Amino acid sequence: MLKIALGQMEVIPGRPDLNTGKMLTMIHDASHQQADIIIFPEMAIPGYLLGDTWEQQAYLRDCETFGHQVIAASRDICIVFGNVAVEWDKHGDDGRVRKHNACFIAQNGKLIAKRIKTLHPNYREFDDTRHFFSLRKLALELNQDVESLIKPVKIMIKDREYSLGCIICEDGWNDDYSVDPIAALAANGPLDLIINISSSPFTLGKNNKRNRVFSKQAQETGVPLIYVNNTGLQNNGKTVYTFDGFSTVYNSAGQIIAYCQPFTENLDYLELKVETGGLDLKPVNVPNDFTIDSLYQAISYGAKRFLQSIGMNRVVIGVSGGIDSAVSAALYASILGPENILLVNMPSRFNSQTTKDLAAQLSHNLGCLYTIMPIEQSAEYTANQISSTPVTNLATGKQNKLSVSSFVFENIQARDRSARLLAGIAAAFGGGFTCNANKSELTVGYSTLYGDQAGFLATLADLWKHQVYELANYLNKNVYGREVIPQAIIDLVPSAELSFEQSVDEGKGDPIIYPYHDYLFRAFMEHWNRATPEDILLWYSQDPAVLEQKLGCQPGLISRLFPGPREFIDDLERWWRLYTGMAVAKRIQAPPVLAVSRRAYGFDHREAQNGPYFTQNYLKLKHQILAAE
């Protein structure tokens, strides 16, 4: 019988001192509880998403020193933990000192073994090959098969030898690689236990897949598998990731027999009979993480941790009477308390009494601080100043005046609200102001640069519009237990209210038709094999029902929205040009995005400002369809 401690800790990136202190406390507690083994996550000492901090040798020396402290603490317990391993006399492909993402196994105050990460992810937010030297590269250098280097670690506990298969995160997600570390461990066995230490960010639905994958591995090898992941918040600049923990234990039949609560720092214990493969323990049910509950948990946890990390405890939110700002207000009020939230309504002549009343009702329901600061006078002043001040051609002496179109005036209003009022109010209030943009708007740049796309964090910018509505209902029902977000806001047509053409009282709203465009935009950027207009038009030409099935939108919707192919194609090209054109420039300058989906804007969705492009097959197919029409 092994008593195993699962050290699901909150890892603070860039603070090896704090992380090590926490580990030493957990080690002391586990030793006091007479645990045989304690397991910590991948990169538990330095953190994982550190950018080019990995290029600082002084930082590496600190991580190494703190690693020695953890090893020294293994006098009465076996410790498995993640840290950077530095080979000071060798260099990596970049010419800098060689670094490995490594798993350390310590016992009796000494380092027993070290295992190097075999598979380095180089997709989404991951950039391991930029900094670390993998076991695959090492095998090539040594002229050996990489599988021969993937060996179990032998430890002695209570006069019995145990064989541990220690791997790191991606080594367990090996379906698309030419190397299978799990199979190699089994071949080089025997094995008593597989340990996967991870630093794996939350993605909606990821744990459901992880349970299927790791369960299969335990079942195929006939060996129990322990997965230990960290909690906390890490970022790579433009994208902020939550880490949910959700450490899990699988028996030799692949059944889940224990797990740690997600988004909670825990030191949990498990008594595991290796002889039975854990089959004597009753299987448990784990939460489905592809739910609105998981989504709320990740966003609330991420926003709270982000505020803590930047030392902000007061927030200003521009509330328009619309759904996005209402959800932001309810979310932040639940995190910081309503007394620390200042809601600001900034109407112009284009704002209806309906939305002004709804903004006030929302503020009253939440109990937040509230103020009304109209922008009509200042926006008009800016427009008049631009249109009445002459512009001189210094070569000819000729003067002209600029014209402020209705579209330009819309943007003047949006910038006046954010760059002038909200920024100034936030400074006076001693806080920051939010960016309330959703993912649909961010996709096509339906926002004003330095206006409503400004703020300290884009908390909702990885949520499609329909998810924002889901979150609104969840906040009312499950978080507050009452209607804090008025139902009228949920039912109201979404609108920027920056002109009379966007009058909500007349049912006029955003040009984005969210029940369709949410899913079209998702296909553009979130599908693993990202769709282009060629794919969309091909599916449409086969049958609109085929396209609806591919996108996942409501059946019959496309035929109701578009009278014929010409209207469909015009709409498709309009949004594709925006998505790959001006919206890219706006996204590059947008606030950091809190990531929860399978692909978020920022470092997770790397873009170049190259402009729109339509493939040759698309142009050919378009010509054929329109000619036939």
Side-chain angles (χ1 to χ4, degrees), residues 342-579:
L342 173 54
L343 305 183
V344 186
N345 184 237
M346 298 166 286
S348 72
R349 64 179 181 271
F350 303 118
N351 292 93
S352 67
Q353 193 61 46
T354 299
T355 52
K356 288 187 283 188
D357 289 346
L358 287 173
Q361 186 181 342
L362 169 76
S363 305
H364 175 78
N365 292 351
L366 289 170
C368 297
L369 303 174
Y370 180 60
T371 187
I372 301 172
M373 295 193 185
I375 63 164
E376 184 71 35
Q377 187 176 4
S378 58
E380 285 288 355
Y381 177 84
T382 301
N384 290 334
Q385 187 175 26
I386 293 171
S387 61
S388 63
T389 303
V391 177
T392 305
N393 183 329
L394 298 179
T396 64
K398 185 177 180 180
Q399 290 187 332
N400 288 299
K401 292 180 181 178
L402 299 175
S403 174
V404 176
S405 66
S406 59
F407 176 73
V408 170
F409 189 61
E410 289 180 25
N411 287 307
I412 287 172
Q413 294 173 77
R415 292 191 182 98
D416 194 66
R417 288 172 178 168
S418 292
R420 185 182 71 87
L421 265 183
L422 288 180
I425 293 168
F429 189 58
F433 71 96
T434 64
C435 174
N436 301 325
N438 60 61
K439 196 170 189 176
S440 310
E441 295 168 344
L442 212 60
T443 297
V444 291
Y446 187 61
S447 55
T448 301
L449 197 60
Y450 319 125
D452 49 344
Q453 198 166 308
F456 69 87
L457 178 68
T459 318
L460 305 180
D462 202 22
L463 298 184
W464 301 107
K465 191 74 167 187
H466 66 273
Q467 292 176 306
V468 176
Y469 283 108
E470 286 183 66
L471 191 55
N473 287 313
Y474 184 89
L475 284 160
N476 278 349
K477 181 179 178 181
N478 298 86
V479 178
Y480 286 93
R482 57 190 175 90
E483 190 180 291
V484 293
I485 299 175
Q487 186 62 40
I489 288 181
I490 298 173
D491 296 338
L492 193 70
V493 58
S495 175
E497 284 198 304
L498 293 172
S499 73
F500 289 126
E501 295 304 311
Q502 299 169 339
S503 171
V504 295
D505 288 338
E506 297 178 23
K508 299 175 181 178
D510 296 344
I512 303 172
I513 305 169
Y514 295 104
Y516 167 63
H517 289 127
D518 267 4
Y519 299 90
L520 176 68
F521 300 165
R522 186 175 68 178
F524 286 167
M525 72 81 60
E526 216 174 271
H527 286 191
W528 194 252
N529 293 307
R530 293 166 53 200
T532 66
E534 180 182 327
D535 303 300
I536 301 299
L537 195 54
L538 176 62
W539 296 332
Y540 174 80
S541 69
Q542 293 170 348
D543 193 296
V546 172
L547 176 58
E548 289 160 351
Q549 189 272 328
K550 293 285 188 181
L551 297 182
C553 65
Q554 182 184 358
L557 181 62
I558 292 173
S559 297
R560 293 198 300 272
L561 293 177
F562 306 108
R566 187 173 300 277
E567 292 82 1
F568 176 83
I569 289 172
D570 287 347
D571 179 84
L572 175 62
E573 292 190 358
R574 173 192 185 183
W575 298 115
W576 179 257
R577 291 182 191 280
L578 287 169
Y579 165 59

Side-chain angles (χ1 to χ4, degrees), residues 66-319:
F66 287 119
H68 292 321
Q69 292 181 19
V70 173
I71 292 169
S74 68
R75 290 180 297 274
D76 303 316
I77 190 171
C78 176
I79 305 173
V80 180
F81 69 99
N83 194 11
V84 58
V86 187
E87 293 190 79
W88 294 103
D89 57 341
K90 295 183 180 180
H91 61 79
D93 294 339
D94 60 357
R96 296 185 177 89
V97 63
R98 183 175 294 183
K99 303 171 286 294
H100 302 288
N101 184 337
C103 175
F104 292 77
I105 301 92
Q107 194 178 31
N108 300 319
K110 298 179 181 179
L111 179 64
I112 300 297
K114 176 178 65 184
R115 293 294 181 261
I116 297 170
K117 192 171 184 177
T118 303
L119 307 178
H120 282 184
N122 196 26
Y123 53 83
R124 290 204 60 199
E125 67 270 26
F126 304 111
D127 206 10
D128 287 27
T129 54
R130 180 178 176 88
H131 301 293
F132 303 113
F133 204 82
S134 71
L135 192 66
R136 288 201 290 179
K137 286 183 180 178
L138 185 60
L140 285 172
E141 184 177 88
L142 298 174
N143 198 26
Q144 295 185 33
D145 291 331
V146 64
E147 287 85 357
S148 67
L149 301 178
I150 305 174
K151 296 179 180 179
V153 176
K154 307 290 186 181
I155 62 170
M156 292 292 297
I157 295 177
K158 298 172 184 174
D159 299 323
R160 176 183 162 174
E161 184 179 77
Y162 290 91
S163 181
L164 309 180
C166 298
I167 59 173
I168 305 173
C169 203
E170 187 78 357
D171 294 342
W173 298 86
N174 52 60
D175 286 351
D176 296 318
Y177 291 91
S178 59
V179 179
D180 184 344
I182 301 290
L185 279 173
N188 294 329
L191 279 175
D192 292 310
L193 183 63
I194 297 172
I195 297 173
N196 184 321
I197 62 169
S198 288
S199 184
S200 184
F202 171 86
T203 297
L204 190 64
K206 178 206 69 179
N207 286 306
N208 291 346
K209 181 178 180 181
R210 187 252 303 164
N211 286 331
R212 293 193 299 271
V213 171
F214 288 12
S215 175
K216 183 180 178 183
Q217 291 171 356
Q219 189 176 18
E220 289 180 344
T221 58
V223 177
L225 188 155
I226 298 179
Y227 161 82
V228 176
N229 189 30
N230 62 281
T231 63
L233 197 74
Q234 302 191 39
N235 73 87
N236 45 31
K238 290 293 289 183
T239 319
V240 179
Y241 299 92
T242 62
F243 289 73
D244 59 334
F246 218 141
S247 303
T248 307
V249 182
Y250 308 82
N251 66 19
S252 58
Q255 300 166 313
I256 295 174
I257 53 177
Y259 72 94
C260 299
Q261 288 296 324
F263 299 106
T264 305
E265 185 175 74
N266 262 328
L267 181 59
D268 285 354
Y269 295 92
L270 171 76
E271 294 192 352
L272 181 68
K273 285 186 180 179
V274 173
E275 298 81 2
T276 66
L279 294 174
D280 55 310
L281 296 176
K282 186 178 179 180
V284 298
N285 294 319
V286 297
N288 174 11
D289 75 333
F290 197 68
T291 63
I292 186 63
D293 182 75
S294 292
L295 193 65
Y296 166 75
Q297 206 173 8
I299 290 175
S300 177
Y301 179 87
K304 183 177 182 179
R305 287 297 188 276
F306 188 84
L307 290 169
Q308 291 173 344
S309 70
I310 63 175
M312 183 182 293
N313 53 25
R314 306 189 93 189
V315 167
V316 174
I317 303 173
V319 287

